[in-house]
Amino acid sequence: MSDEYFPTVTKIEFKGPKSKDPLSFKHYNPDEIILGKPMREWLRFSVCFWHTFVGGGGADPFGSPTYIRDWEGDLQGMDLALRRIDVAFEFFTKLGVDYYCFHDVDVSPEGANIDESFANLDAVTDYMLEKQKETGVKLLWSTQNLFSNPRYMNGGMTNPDLQVFCYAAAQIQKIMDVNHKLQGENHVFWGGREGYQSLLNTKIKLECDHMAAMYTMVVDYGKRKGYTAQFLLEPKPREPSKHQYDYDAQTTIAFLHEYGLKDHFKLNIEPNHTTLAGHEAVHDIVVASEYGMLGSIDSNTGDTLLGWDTDNFPMDLAQTTAVMAVVLEQGGLGTGGLNFDCKVRRESVDPVDLFIGHIGAMDTYALGLRKAAKMKEHGVLKSMLTERYLSWSTHPLGAKIEKSEATLEECVEYAKSQGEPKKISGKQELFEMIRNGYIYG
Ligand code: XUL
Ligand code: CO
């Protein structure tokens, strides 16, 4: 085996929109300045470890793994784990991303007991720290997997069994320590099994109380240890649970308010989770941003004909433009980023397909950024939106209502003084036409 795992791929370069080379960027030019910041800073791309280097190898409920990954050979346990780290850092470097993300169990094998699992994680993450220093690639976030091991079949933080809850606490505390060592910029909580399969055997409020209690302990431990990573909750309405408590952005924000946790958390929004919740793909990104809670994005897309979380690479320019418009409007993602929580299709078996998927998606986001920047510079859509709500700022009663200082009587008096409201067009088609002019023009 050569000492490179992707010997046919060299560093991916920006070659401009006319390039026909699939292993080149047509739109992503990392150091080009757009609206005052380099593209790489607006976009903060990250590769996820799980789908890219572990996953099920392309297995689905109807068939076995398909991917060709010769670097794995017959390796097992720690040998396989360390090999994957080498492969991953070669991939990050050749692709030219600044960040990556992982779950504890993605990068190191679980041992016979907690201590053995933690020792494995320590050893692998020590090696990851070396690779980070050698390559300059940084950790966007890490997270604890509280859903794959059978012990978590009834949930982690919301498990009816106290012993499992405490096991989850151990895993969370350990990943906090590891994340701190690797200078992770965020820490994600995704609760795939924090929900239920049947109302008959579930106490919903008690389970949510327990989950909130865990987060309160997490915040407290973080304070005591000088933990600087931003905590992020990742909403998803279902899959694998029938119902997941962090259903969508609004539900999750309400949960954080209810338990007094709002100031310690933001959200990591995944558009394919948003569509599973019955919203259009960018809905939760907009909601989270408007409430000042958009921390990071697991950028991917679903398939309109399949109802589940297919984690396709985002290749739709209208969608990436809409996402980047929100990111520009809030001045960037702060410590967050655009993490590709995506997998190549089961039929895309070649290692090089991993590059193609990421390059295609990075270019789609980069072009989306360029289009969104033009939209923002011209400001046409924004002024149309402002105009739609103008009545609220042109009459003093509007401001009074917004400050909760008005009475119902004042509203009635105003309604009577004005007579029947005029019909005012919502102009949706005009908004769409103008938006299309930027995307396809
Ligand atoms: C699952 C999902 C997770 C989280 C991290 O749908 O998105 O991979 O991003 O646990
Ligand atoms: Co995700």
Side-chain angles (χ1 to χ4, degrees):
M1 178 124 219
S2 100
D3 49 356
E4 284 185 59
Y5 301 104
F6 303 95
T8 58
V9 182
T10 51
K11 174 97 174 54
I12 309 301
E13 304 288 350
F14 172 67
K15 294 193 179 166
K18 293 209 170 73
S19 169
K20 296 276 180 281
D21 176 2
L23 292 175
S24 72
F25 293 118
K26 287 97 199 153
H27 307 288
Y28 180 51
N29 188 13
D31 296 315
E32 185 181 327
I33 305 290
I34 305 265
L35 296 183
K37 264 202 258 191
M39 291 182 99
R40 57 155 31 99
E41 272 179 42
W42 283 119
L43 295 160
R44 295 171 63 83
F45 288 130
S46 156
V47 169
C48 84
F49 205 95
W50 52 102
H51 289 315
T52 319
F53 307 108
V54 197
D60 73 9
F62 301 92
S64 315
T66 54
Y67 298 158
I68 301 163
R69 301 290 183 256
D70 288 341
W71 55 75
E72 303 215 338
D74 297 327
L75 296 178
Q76 290 201 336
M78 286 295 276
D79 294 334
L80 177 59
L82 294 169
R83 169 64 54 86
R84 283 174 172 160
I85 302 301
D86 284 332
V87 174
F89 277 85
E90 183 186 325
F91 184 80
F92 304 150
T93 314
K94 286 186 169 171
L95 185 62
V97 287
D98 295 330
Y99 291 97
Y100 73 106
C101 298
F102 70 94
H103 301 79
D104 42 8
V105 305
D106 302 337
V107 296
S108 89
E110 290 194 77
N113 53 47
I114 296 187
D115 287 330
E116 226 178 272
S117 298
F118 287 180
N120 289 347
L121 189 59
D122 283 335
V124 180
T125 52
D126 281 348
Y127 187 51
M128 287 160 70
L129 183 58
E130 267 177 51
K131 298 297 273 185
Q132 285 187 195
K133 286 186 183 150
E134 183 187 310
T135 59
V137 176
K138 292 170 279 187
L139 178 61
L140 185 68
W141 51 262
S142 60
T143 183
Q144 52 294 310
N145 177 323
L146 304 180
F147 45 90
S148 296
N149 191 296
R151 85 174 71 88
Y152 294 123
M153 65 187 179
N154 292 302
M157 298 181 256
T158 60
N159 200 296
D161 180 359
L162 171 67
Q163 203 185 329
V164 180
F165 177 94
C166 290
Y167 209 108
Q171 239 180 288
I172 293 171
Q173 188 200 48
K174 185 68 191 173
I175 202 75
M176 287 176 79
D177 294 344
V178 162
N179 197 46
H180 194 60
K181 173 174 78 180
L182 297 175
Q183 295 177 326
E185 298 191 20
N186 306 274
H187 179 156
V188 164
F189 294 82
W190 172 65
R193 298 199 195 270
E194 315 302 1
Y196 60 82
Q197 304 292 7
S198 168
L199 283 172
L200 285 174
N201 67 2
T202 306
K203 290 190 172 193
I204 293 179
K205 173 149 189 316
L206 189 68
E207 293 199 357
C208 288
D209 289 349
H210 291 167
M211 185 158 70
M214 181 74 87
Y215 290 139
T216 304
M217 291 192 284
V218 162
V219 168
D220 166 64
Y221 182 72
K223 272 190 197 148
R224 283 188 280 120
K225 296 284 165 179
Y227 197 53
T228 48
Q230 170 68 52
F231 294 121
L232 302 171
L233 298 190
E234 183 176 330
K236 186 176 184 182
R238 63 182 71 81
E239 197 201 21
S241 301
K242 178 168 85 175
H243 177 92
Q244 219 165 282
Y245 296 131
D246 294 335
Y247 196 91
D248 62 2
Q250 279 184 304
T251 316
T252 308
I253 292 170
F255 165 87
L256 290 170
H257 271 280
E258 170 72 18
Y259 291 98
L261 291 161
K262 192 191 114 298
D263 295 340
H264 304 287
F265 289 80
K266 287 189 175 176
L267 305 186
N268 179 36
I269 301 292
E270 180 164 328
N272 200 174
H273 295 177
T274 308
T275 52
L276 266 184
H279 310 304
E280 68 172 84
V282 188
H283 169 96
D284 268 5
I285 290 178
V286 172
V287 168
S289 179
E290 290 201 1
Y291 281 90
M293 296 293 282
L294 180 63
S296 200
I297 297 174
D298 264 7
S299 41
N300 63 9
T301 194
D303 185 305
T304 46
L305 295 180
L306 300 174
W308 62 91
D309 190 16
T310 58
D311 289 329
N312 286 44
F313 281 90
M315 300 287 190
D316 180 77
L317 182 58
Q319 189 173 313
T320 59
T321 304
V323 171
M324 289 318 295
V326 177
V327 172
L328 288 178
E329 198 54 39
Q330 69 165 39
L333 281 167
T335 60
L338 291 166
N339 173 52
F340 293 111
D341 193 348
C342 309
K343 53 181 177 249
V344 288
R345 296 304 90 190
R346 181 167 190 263
E347 305 76 19
S348 303
V349 297
D350 295 335
V352 76
D353 293 322
L354 293 173
F355 277 95
I356 304 289
H358 283 88
I359 293 168
M362 288 163 78
D363 259 346
T364 312
Y365 261 103
L367 189 55
L369 168 63
R370 291 175 187 278
K371 306 279 181 186
K374 279 271 167 306
M375 269 163 43
K376 187 169 167 55
E377 260 172 346
H378 297 171
V380 182
L381 286 171
K382 192 168 180 186
S383 47
M384 282 167 63
L385 195 58
T386 307
E387 191 174 323
R388 193 153 186 243
Y389 293 85
L390 215 54
S391 63
W392 284 83
S393 50
T394 47
H395 191 283
L397 183 58
K400 218 173 162 190
I401 297 171
E402 286 177 349
K403 283 191 262 168
S404 299
E405 287 169 1
T407 60
L408 275 181
E409 286 84 344
E410 285 173 278
C411 296
V412 174
E413 192 190 317
Y414 183 64
K416 286 187 177 166
S417 72
Q418 297 297 306
E420 185 58 29
K422 285 198 300 287
K423 282 192 202 165
I424 303 174
S425 173
K427 300 272 178 217
Q428 181 178 328
E429 298 76 9
L430 184 62
F431 276 88
E432 289 167 340
M433 180 190 285
I434 293 172
R435 189 265 325 255
N436 281 0
Y438 285 98
I439 295 176
Y440 305 109

